[in-house]
Amino acid sequence: MSVKHKIGVVVEYNPFHNGHLYQIEEIKKRYNVDLIVAVLSGDYVQRGEVSIINKWDKTSIALMNGVDLVVELPLYYSIQNAEVFSSEAVKILEYLELDIQVFGAEEENLIELEKVVQLQSTKEYKDLLKEYIRKGNDYNKSNLLTLKDHKLSNIMQSNNILGIEYIRSRINNGLQLRQEIIKREKVGYNDKFGVENISSATFIRSLIELKDDKAMNEVEFLVPKETYRTLKRNMDINENERKEELLFTLFKYKFLSTDKEEILKIYDIDIDIYNRISKNIIVVNGSIDFFESMKSRNLSKRRVRRILLNVLFGIEEDILKKNINKGINYVRVLGFNKKGQRYIKKLQKNKKKVFVNWKDIEKKEHSDIEREMIKIEKMGFYIKELIFNVKERLNPIVVE
C-alpha cells in the first residue's frame, strides 16, 4: 500500500471558485491523501485589500469543499510582497509537518522555476538587477528586465512569481517540504474572462462590483454553491468603494496624526514615498484620487495599498524582520473537520504551538516582539469589525 501524504496549500480564496475546487479534486486524484491543510490569508490579502469574504466564511467554504484543516497566515505576512508572503506561508507548512506543498502555476515544470531561483542567486544576475534599479526602475520592473536579458521574461506571470518565492523559501531555509505544481488551467491569475466554468478570482470580483442580476448569474456558474450563497448574503457590505473609502479615511487620520519619524519606521516606506503621500493626501478627494496620484513608474497601485495597510496597522520594518528571523510564534487554527481535529491533537502532542482559541494565544507567555505582532493582529480585528460589521470569533469553525 502506498504512503499517505499530508498535503499543504497556500491560498487566499478571494473568493473560493471552481478553479480552487479543481485544484483540491486534482490533489485527491494524484496523491494518496491523508489530509489537506490550507494556510489561508484571512481578512486582508496580498493585493493590499480587504478580502471580499471574511475569513470565517472562507474557512467554512474550504472545509465544505475538501479541505480538512485551515490555519491563518497572520495579517502582518498576508499583506506583504510576494517574497514575504510566500516565504512565511511555506515555513508554516513545514512547521505543521506536512509532506508536500502543492501550488498552481502557469509553468508546470518545477525544474524551470528552480532554474530561475538559481539564476537569481548569481552575482551576474544581482549586478544587472542593481543596474536597472539604479536607472530608476522599481524592484519588480528591474527583475522583469533582468529576466528579459536572460530570455526568461515569459516566466514572470502571477502564479509563477509566487511559485518562485515558495521554492526560494524552501531552498534558503533548508526545508524538508516537497513541492509540486498543478498547472493553472484555462485562465490566468488576472484574466478578466471565464472559460467554461473556470475563471480567475479577479474576474469574479469584477462581476460582483457590477451589482446586477446578470453578473451574479454568471458568478453562480463560476463558483461552488457555498461561495455563491455567501456572496449573495453579503452583497450589501461587499461594496468595494465603501470599504476603500473607510480604509482611506482611517489611513489619512493615522498618517496625519503620526510623527514623520514614526511613519518612516513602517515596513516598505522610504522618504520619497513619505513625501509623495504628504503632498497628495491633503489635496485628493478620496481613495480613488489618492491611488491615482500615487502611481508612478516605480510605485504600483498594489504596493501603495500594502503601504496603506502597513501604516494603518503600525507594522514596523525592524519588528517585522526580527519576527521573521525568530521563526514561528504560534499557528492559529481557523477551522477543521474530524480528520483535521485528530491532526491538531497530534501536532500539540509533538509540542507544536498550534492554538484553536485566540484567548489561549493571548494568555501564552510572549517576548516583546511577539506582543507587538499580537497587537497588530488585534488591530486587524477591530478594523474588520468596522468593515464587515461582525466581531472576531475566538473559536474555530468545526465541520462534522
Side-chain angles (χ1 to χ4, degrees):
M1 185 176 174
S2 61
V3 176
K4 285 200 163 190
H5 296 296
K6 298 180 287 294
I7 309 290
V9 291
V10 178
V11 295
E12 296 207 291
Y13 293 160
N14 188 32
F16 187 101
H17 54 66
N18 290 339
H20 297 128
L21 184 59
Y22 167 81
Q23 184 190 57
I24 292 169
E25 290 172 345
E26 280 298 300
I27 287 171
K28 291 182 176 181
K29 283 180 192 174
R30 296 187 191 191
Y31 306 97
N32 187 11
V33 175
D34 185 11
L35 84 163
I36 298 176
V37 179
V39 176
L40 173 75
S41 296
D43 296 313
Y44 307 91
V45 295
Q46 205 254 335
R47 297 164 61 89
E49 297 175 350
V50 178
S51 177
I52 199 165
I53 297 177
N54 76 65
K55 65 186 172 191
W56 301 109
D57 285 337
K58 291 199 288 188
T59 297
S60 293
I61 292 166
L63 293 171
M64 287 186 278
N65 283 277
V67 175
D68 300 300
L69 172 61
V70 182
V71 303
E72 186 169 21
L73 180 62
L75 79 87
Y76 42 82
Y77 296 143
S78 73
I79 62 171
Q80 307 305 346
N81 56 47
E83 181 182 357
V84 173
F85 173 97
S86 302
S87 177
E88 300 314 303
V90 171
K91 288 179 190 174
I92 292 173
L93 294 177
E94 174 90 352
Y95 184 80
L96 294 175
E97 302 178 3
L98 303 179
D99 303 311
I100 304 171
Q101 177 192 6
V102 174
F103 60 89
E106 292 82 6
E107 171 57 63
E108 63 182 327
N109 189 340
L110 188 77
I111 293 171
E112 291 303 310
L113 298 187
E114 288 177 335
K115 284 179 182 175
V116 174
V117 174
Q118 290 163 2
L119 172 65
Q120 290 176 327
S121 69
T122 63
K123 184 177 185 303
E124 176 201 0
Y125 187 94
K126 290 175 181 176
D127 288 345
L128 189 53
L129 179 69
K130 286 177 185 175
E131 182 61 22
Y132 278 121
I133 292 171
R134 190 185 65 76
K135 289 178 180 178
N137 300 289
D138 69 13
Y139 179 81
N140 289 333
K141 183 65 182 296
S142 299
N143 235 330
L144 182 60
L145 292 169
T146 308
L147 286 168
K148 189 175 182 180
D149 287 346
H150 288 84
K151 297 182 171 52
L152 286 168
S153 58
N154 63 318
I155 212 80
M156 294 301 280
Q157 299 180 64
S158 295
N159 287 94
N160 284 349
I161 292 169
L162 287 174
I164 287 165
E165 295 303 334
Y166 294 145
I167 293 165
R168 196 190 320 279
S169 178
R170 170 176 57 82
I171 293 170
N172 289 350
N173 293 292
L175 306 182
Q176 299 301 306
L177 188 71
R178 205 169 100 208
Q179 291 172 320
E180 298 194 8
I181 296 171
I182 291 179
K183 190 176 188 302
R184 191 176 180 99
E185 296 288 352
K186 298 180 183 177
V187 293
Y189 179 83
N190 288 311
D191 286 345
K192 293 192 174 180
F193 56 82
V195 176
E196 296 174 5
N197 69 336
I198 301 288
S199 79
S200 68
T202 303
F203 180 55
I204 292 168
R205 290 194 299 271
S206 70
L207 289 173
I208 292 166
E209 279 298 299
L210 295 175
K211 305 185 188 78
D212 64 45
D213 291 341
K214 184 180 177 182
M216 288 308 295
N217 286 341
E218 190 165 357
V219 169
E220 187 174 14
F221 183 62
L222 298 170
V223 300
K225 63 181 182 299
E226 295 85 3
T227 301
Y228 182 72
R229 287 173 191 154
T230 302
L231 289 169
K232 286 287 283 183
R233 189 174 69 243
N234 293 335
M235 282 294 286
D236 291 341
I237 59 172
N238 261 334
E239 294 181 10
N240 196 47
E241 189 176 329
R242 183 190 71 85
K243 290 190 289 188
E244 284 206 347
E245 286 305 322
L246 177 55
L247 279 179
F248 177 68
T249 301
L250 293 168
F251 163 72
K252 185 175 180 179
Y253 171 78
K254 180 80 176 278
F255 186 87
L256 294 176
S257 62
T258 304
D259 291 341
K260 176 181 177 180
E261 292 74 18
E262 293 302 309
I263 295 289
L264 287 172
K265 292 178 183 176
I266 297 297
Y267 182 70
D268 202 27
I269 197 167
D270 59 27
I271 187 64
D272 291 334
I273 293 173
Y274 176 87
N275 288 337
R276 194 174 180 88
I277 293 172
S278 297
K279 175 186 171 185
N280 292 318
I281 199 168
I282 56 175
V283 296
V284 296
N285 291 322
S287 63
I288 295 173
D289 284 352
F290 175 72
F291 289 122
E292 286 302 312
S293 71
M294 288 295 296
K295 272 196 312 186
S296 72
R297 183 178 69 165
N298 302 324
L299 192 61
S300 68
K301 186 176 181 180
R302 192 170 294 186
R303 185 178 172 196
V304 175
R305 289 182 184 281
R306 289 197 284 259
I307 289 170
L308 182 152
L309 291 181
N310 280 330
V311 170
L312 193 53
F313 297 135
I315 302 175
E316 296 183 6
E317 180 170 8
D318 182 56
I319 295 292
L320 184 67
K321 288 183 174 178
K322 283 180 180 176
N323 195 62
I324 288 171
N325 292 333
K326 185 179 176 300
I328 304 294
N329 297 332
Y330 55 84
V331 175
R332 185 186 186 190
V333 173
L334 297 180
F336 52 80
N337 59 20
K338 286 183 178 178
K339 192 184 292 185
Q341 185 177 37
R342 287 195 297 271
Y343 193 63
I344 292 166
K345 289 177 179 176
K346 179 184 173 184
L347 290 170
Q348 290 172 335
K349 192 175 179 180
N350 291 347
K351 306 299 182 186
K352 296 291 184 178
K353 295 175 282 188
V354 177
F355 295 92
V356 297
N357 187 296
W358 176 257
K359 289 295 183 185
D360 290 336
I361 294 173
E362 289 192 296
K363 284 188 282 188
K364 176 181 171 287
E365 281 191 31
H366 294 287
S367 66
D368 290 344
I369 292 172
E370 288 172 345
R371 279 195 291 272
E372 282 298 313
M373 306 325 281
I374 287 173
K375 189 166 84 174
I376 290 166
E377 291 250 60
K378 290 179 77 172
M379 180 66 73
F381 299 168
Y382 301 144
I383 291 173
K384 186 268 294 286
E385 287 177 18
L386 288 174
I387 292 168
F388 286 110
N389 193 30
V390 58
K391 286 195 172 294
E392 179 69 7
R393 282 179 65 113
L394 301 179
N395 295 309
I397 301 288
V398 180
V399 172
E400 297 297 333

